[in-house]
Amino acid sequence: MIDIGSNSIKLLVAARASDGSIVELCRGVEETRIGTGITENPPRLRPDAMDRAVASIRALLCRAAAFEPVHIAAVATSAVRDAVNGREFAERVQAETLLDLSILAGREEARLIGRGIACDPAMRGAKAFYLFDLGGGSLEVLAFREGDVVGLASLQLGCVRVTERFVPSPAAPLDADAEERVRAHVRATLAESGFAFELPADTSAVVTGGTATTFRAIEAASRGRRFEEVSPEITLNDLGAFARRLCAMDLAARAAIPGLPAARADVFPAALVTLHEAALTAGVAVMRHSLYNLRYGLAAELLDAR
């Protein structure tokens, strides 16, 4: 599976285990930023961004080839679906890589993320929880009760989009005024979406996507430990404290942080603030990070269809 997000393009090669679970054989990521210029009117994919994306897809296909995949699916999310030339990009991908690229609607993206989290062994038996998936172009928010999705929204709150709109100089520290504009926009967008945080007051939350993965990678690097050795639990207090520290740094200082890819350093302050404000709005104190996301949901559907 190849997932073309606004900030990065990711690969998952997976198979079904004998117990029915999904086994990851290979993963890969290319920090491509196809969503550059996503806030322009009208939104349009830039030629250089499309060039980078096609090159990244080819690189990931080469990695996947070693596993002789039976089926390869490719999907695109927020940046491509919003762009006026998104279909043109899909046609170019087909012509140059022979992949049929599906452009997912927001609700379909959110549904597949929900399907992916159901593959996480740690979530078996979970009764009620919220799920946040923050990408470069959008934030998907879901509510689960007794294993069923009871609330779903796909919102234009991705970190690339928010940075371009509200951060005048991504190379400078994020000042208090810009941070408050981001937070106010998150609150307003959640309110306008009609999504209701109506689960019990002690409801837990799960978070997927590059922002949470990077936060956990930074934590691991700071402790000199492997990623898997760091707790997947992210407290709202820790997230807020790190957001404040990062917002005070300029781009060069952020890019030097171990575990933070240099290609994400410009959008990471807005990403942390967005995620923190969304969790505040939901009233959750702790989020559990999961790697089971959109790609796992798509893998589950493809493997079920075999």
Side-chain angles (χ1 to χ4, degrees):
M1 281 66 63
I2 291 180
D3 169 15
I4 301 171
S6 305
N7 201 44
S8 59
I9 301 179
K10 302 180 182 70
L11 167 74
L12 171 67
V13 181
R16 184 77 75 182
S18 58
D19 64 359
S21 63
I22 292 179
V23 178
E24 175 190 300
L25 303 179
C26 175
R27 77 171 72 164
V29 61
E30 296 276 328
E31 300 286 351
T32 306
R33 190 71 63 84
I34 194 175
T36 301
I38 198 172
T39 57
E40 294 175 357
N41 187 21
R44 179 181 296 275
L45 302 177
R46 296 177 180 174
D48 59 329
M50 290 192 285
D51 290 344
R52 292 195 303 271
V54 171
S56 293
I57 292 168
R58 284 177 172 150
L60 292 173
L61 286 173
C62 287
R63 292 187 63 175
F67 297 88
E68 299 181 346
V70 174
H71 184 80
I72 301 177
V75 298
T77 54
S78 182
V80 178
R81 71 169 166 257
D82 291 346
V84 294
N85 58 342
R87 180 52 54 189
E88 174 188 326
F89 172 70
E91 292 171 354
R92 178 177 172 185
V93 170
Q94 203 285 328
E96 298 189 29
T97 70
L98 303 181
L99 282 178
D100 291 324
L101 178 62
S102 297
I103 302 174
L104 298 179
R107 292 185 69 85
E108 178 65 3
E109 178 183 357
R111 186 190 68 80
L112 285 169
I113 292 168
R115 180 72 190 274
I117 204 66
C119 299
D120 187 346
M123 296 307 298
R124 288 175 187 160
K127 297 296 184 182
F129 60 94
Y130 296 114
L131 188 153
F132 300 99
D133 184 285
L134 180 60
S138 62
L139 168 69
E140 276 62 51
V141 187
L142 295 89
F144 289 79
R145 185 183 287 119
E146 299 297 334
D148 295 325
V149 177
V150 296
L152 181 156
S154 179
L155 311 173
Q156 292 192 337
L157 290 174
C159 58
V160 175
R161 193 186 299 271
V162 169
T163 298
E164 288 190 355
R165 184 171 177 184
F166 294 102
V167 182
S169 177
L174 184 67
D175 63 38
D177 288 343
E179 179 181 344
E180 181 49 37
R181 287 194 295 271
V182 172
R183 289 186 181 276
H185 180 63
V186 172
R187 292 193 296 268
T189 302
L190 283 166
E192 292 165 4
S193 73
F195 187 92
F197 292 102
E198 295 179 337
L199 296 178
D202 59 349
T203 294
S204 62
V206 179
V207 60
T208 62
T211 300
T213 303
T214 302
F215 179 86
R216 193 172 165 191
I218 292 169
E219 180 72 7
S222 70
R223 298 184 180 187
R225 301 171 68 181
R226 294 186 300 112
F227 181 89
E228 297 79 6
E229 294 174 333
V230 174
S231 171
E233 290 195 345
I234 300 173
T235 69
L236 199 61
N237 286 340
D238 286 347
L239 184 65
F242 186 71
R244 289 190 294 274
R245 183 160 71 89
L246 200 81
C247 287
M249 298 179 180
D250 63 15
L251 181 60
R254 281 179 246 141
I257 296 174
L260 175 56
R264 284 183 179 265
D266 58 337
V267 298
F268 205 54
L272 291 174
V273 170
T274 296
L275 184 58
H276 186 259
E277 190 62 36
L280 275 175
T281 302
V284 299
V286 180
M287 295 179 287
R288 181 183 180 87
H289 174 239
S290 176
L291 294 170
Y292 290 79
N293 45 29
L294 170 65
R295 292 177 298 286
Y296 276 86
L298 183 60
E301 296 213 336
L302 291 174
L303 290 167
D304 284 351
R306 289 185 58 192

